[in-house]
Amino acid sequence: MASLVRAAPAPCPDGLCLRTRASLSPQQVGLELGPLLSHGSSIFGPGDPRWANATARYQEYPAPDFTVAVLVAQESDVAVVVKYANSNSLPLYAVKRRYALPISQARFKGFEVDMQLLTGIDIHPSRGSAAFQGGTYDRQVMDTLWEHDYEGTTGSCDCGFYRMISDNIRCFTSHADLFWGMRGAGHSFGIVTSFEMNIYPRQFDSWYYKIYVFTQDTLEPLFEQLNRLNGNGTQPVELAVQYGLYTLDPTVSATEAIIWWTFAYAGTQSEAQLYLTPFDELNPLSTIDGNVQFPQVPDVQGTGVHNTTCGKGLSRITGPAGLQVYNTTTQRQPYGLFNYNINEYPALNASGVVIEGYSVAGVRRVESDSSTYPFRDDYLLCKQSTITYKPNPRPDPIAIQWAEDNQRLWNKGQPTRKPHAYVNYASGTESLEETYGHEPWRLRWLRKLKAQDDPEGRFSY
């Protein structure tokens, strides 16, 4: 089928002849908006064979209701689409790989602005930075930087060395207040078509990884040892990432979860062994280990772009909590709840309780008020993020209750701290304080920015 952009005539010189039409057809959008976009852009609707792939999401419960997909080929196209949508009072939602989690997305109905073609990367060695277009993604960035002997903050594996991604962004706006707000709440303020971020000469040619499988009788000793390793936020910087999950492995048991845990160390096996020997002594059911280059770390730890963890088309319910230490009693309770739910509701047996711990030395060096991100004293992330099942309304209430129960248990296990929900894992049901910080000044400033930069609430999903 020919793209509506390329096939459409141009009856409206400015593409804005008609006003405020919430039910615009893809064909009409193509006629009006198509001539204003660059070559290579496309506009299509549900009847197009590209629609299913263009709207497939990591989180399908519940998905946004897209009526038209606009695939842009140039950064400048995004501003044109925004102007067209605003002039016609049409909601719009920018995507690149469609991995957003919050259930609040269900409130959206309107345009999908797809930026997946905007994948340009321009490295500036003299500045120690690179410019990235808004459609770039972790694996692409990791591979490209590695090929040029650089690395950067691309997710979980190197935040200890270089802080968080948002801490390394140099610019995407000339407005200082908005720059502060975008680093931690950017989804509430606009669409980023490109940004400049710090990059660093790569330090380690080889990373050592080790994966353990434990049975439930090891749960308390395991988390006690993990607390020693974490050391209240002092986990060694080279031991950049360790995380695990409660998950069902039918080859071990059809009714009782295993505890799967993985470590990634920037360096050699002999160096890593100093920290891993206590876990070897817990008599794991099995282990797998090896050495890989940094871009392959997600692949071997199960979070690579081609791993099933990243698959689309399933319902996934979240319920995160930020911790400083593991309460071993609390950790036992979600384990029991997992076993109960997968046995009571077999449709949910592909789920997993995800528990993450990182080296946070770099994160802690940054002042909390320097950006929107509020929880720099959270050293551990617990997220019931993969209550996973084929889209089906019947298990929805059960899955939501399960996630809320885990969230409540984790927060109850740290009674002296207020609930925290890491924004990228949040379900959309948490309070603003739980997601953006409990300090009154922080929310006052965010509300002021919202009223100033998005007074009509165009970015509210």
Side-chain angles (χ1 to χ4, degrees):
M1 179 181 291
S3 164
L4 289 172
V5 170
R6 293 191 294 270
C12 295
D14 61 0
L16 307 176
C17 298
L18 302 177
R19 305 285 179 178
T20 315
R21 297 154 298 158
S23 58
L24 270 178
S25 70
Q27 290 76 16
Q28 189 64 34
V29 175
L31 290 171
E32 298 173 9
L33 176 61
L36 306 179
L37 301 180
S38 64
H39 177 74
S41 299
S42 301
I43 299 172
F44 51 91
D48 191 283
R50 296 167 292 182
W51 182 260
N53 183 60
T55 57
R57 303 185 63 78
Y58 176 78
Q59 162 62 301
E60 290 287 354
Y61 172 81
D65 184 2
F66 293 122
T67 57
V68 180
V70 184
L71 179 65
V72 297
Q74 302 290 335
E75 286 183 50
S76 57
D77 292 327
V78 177
V80 174
V81 177
V82 170
K83 181 179 178 181
Y84 175 83
N86 288 347
S87 297
N88 287 279
S89 298
L90 300 170
L92 54 86
Y93 190 130
V95 305
K96 57 177 180 178
R97 296 180 70 82
R98 299 176 296 281
Y99 278 93
L101 288 170
I103 62 176
S104 51
Q105 297 172 102
R107 298 199 307 267
F108 179 83
K109 181 175 182 178
F111 278 30
E112 176 187 79
V113 185
D114 192 336
M115 301 198 298
Q116 64 176 293
L117 298 181
L118 305 183
T119 56
I121 299 175
D122 190 6
I123 296 173
H124 305 294
S126 62
R127 292 173 54 86
S129 67
F132 303 88
Q133 288 190 308
T136 52
Y137 58 98
D138 284 3
R139 183 53 185 266
Q140 177 210 357
V141 171
M142 293 169 80
D143 287 343
T144 301
L145 294 182
W146 191 263
E147 290 169 3
H148 291 84
D149 295 324
Y150 289 100
E151 57 191 19
T153 44
T154 47
S156 61
C157 290
D158 51 9
C159 55
F161 291 108
Y162 307 128
R163 301 159 289 160
M164 294 187 297
I165 292 173
S166 58
D167 296 330
N168 281 275
I169 293 176
R170 291 192 179 185
C171 66
F172 39 39
T173 174
S174 59
H175 301 280
D177 290 347
L178 185 57
F179 183 63
W180 177 85
M182 291 286 286
R183 289 175 298 143
H187 47 274
S188 293
F189 293 107
I191 301 171
V192 175
T193 59
S194 63
F195 59 96
E196 183 180 1
M197 187 174 73
N198 295 325
I199 59 175
Y200 303 88
R202 73 187 203 191
Q203 297 185 58
F204 305 95
D205 287 332
S206 179
W207 284 59
Y208 176 72
Y209 71 94
K210 192 164 189 177
I211 299 169
Y212 295 83
V213 173
F214 298 101
T215 52
Q216 62 85 20
D217 56 301
T218 315
L219 189 150
E220 285 80 6
L222 171 62
F223 283 100
E224 289 169 1
Q225 188 57 50
L226 288 168
N227 278 335
R228 295 187 188 98
L229 177 65
N230 175 61
N232 287 314
T234 62
Q235 181 172 308
V237 68
E238 291 82 10
L239 194 60
V241 55
Q242 45 91 2
Y243 68 91
L245 66 158
Y246 305 152
T247 186
L248 190 65
D249 182 349
T251 66
V252 177
S253 172
T255 59
E256 188 174 273
I258 61 166
I259 307 171
W260 182 97
W261 214 272
T262 180
F263 299 85
Y265 183 87
T268 66
Q269 177 179 357
S270 60
E271 294 167 338
Q273 198 58 45
L274 172 66
Y275 306 107
L276 299 184
T277 294
F279 298 95
D280 294 337
E281 294 173 349
L282 293 176
N283 298 315
L285 191 64
S286 63
T287 62
I288 300 172
D289 68 341
N291 295 277
V292 293
Q293 293 183 327
F294 175 58
Q296 282 73 55
V297 171
D299 293 334
V300 297
Q301 292 197 303
T303 59
V305 68
H306 298 300
N307 292 114
T308 55
T309 304
C310 293
K312 296 178 180 177
L314 297 172
S315 293
R316 290 178 166 91
I317 308 300
T318 63
L323 311 178
Q324 289 187 325
V325 297
Y326 293 120
N327 181 317
T328 54
T329 300
T330 295
Q331 294 305 126
R332 169 64 69 175
Q333 290 172 327
Y335 178 84
L337 188 59
F338 180 93
N339 288 339
Y340 171 81
N341 279 319
I342 62 171
N343 284 287
E344 192 74 12
Y345 309 106
L348 304 181
N349 65 12
S351 302
V353 177
V354 183
I355 306 159
E356 304 176 355
Y358 303 105
S359 169
V360 293
V363 176
R364 296 181 68 192
R365 287 197 298 268
V366 178
E367 293 295 328
S368 180
D369 61 0
S370 66
S371 73
T372 308
Y373 180 69
F375 301 136
R376 293 181 184 273
D377 58 350
D378 283 354
Y379 313 140
L380 307 164
L381 297 174
C382 292
K383 67 166 182 173
Q384 173 66 345
S385 68
T386 48
I387 303 179
T388 304
Y389 52 100
K390 293 181 179 179
N392 181 344
R394 292 186 64 185
D396 290 344
I398 300 161
I400 293 169
Q401 186 62 55
W402 182 3
E404 291 177 351
D405 287 345
N406 269 6
Q407 206 168 20
R408 175 181 51 80
L409 288 169
W410 281 318
N411 287 321
K412 184 179 178 181
Q414 49 174 13
T416 62
R417 302 185 78 227
K418 294 179 179 179
H420 294 175
Y422 175 47
V423 65
N424 285 338
Y425 297 165
S427 69
T429 63
E430 298 86 356
S431 70
L432 290 176
E433 288 80 5
E434 289 173 334
T435 308
Y436 296 107
H438 293 273
E439 309 98 319
W441 68 265
R442 194 181 292 275
L443 285 180
R444 282 198 301 268
W445 195 245
L446 278 169
R447 288 188 174 106
K448 179 181 177 181
L449 286 175
K450 185 69 171 176
Q452 170 185 300
D453 294 299
D454 185 23
E456 296 182 2
R458 304 286 287 174
F459 298 93
S460 300
Y461 304 101

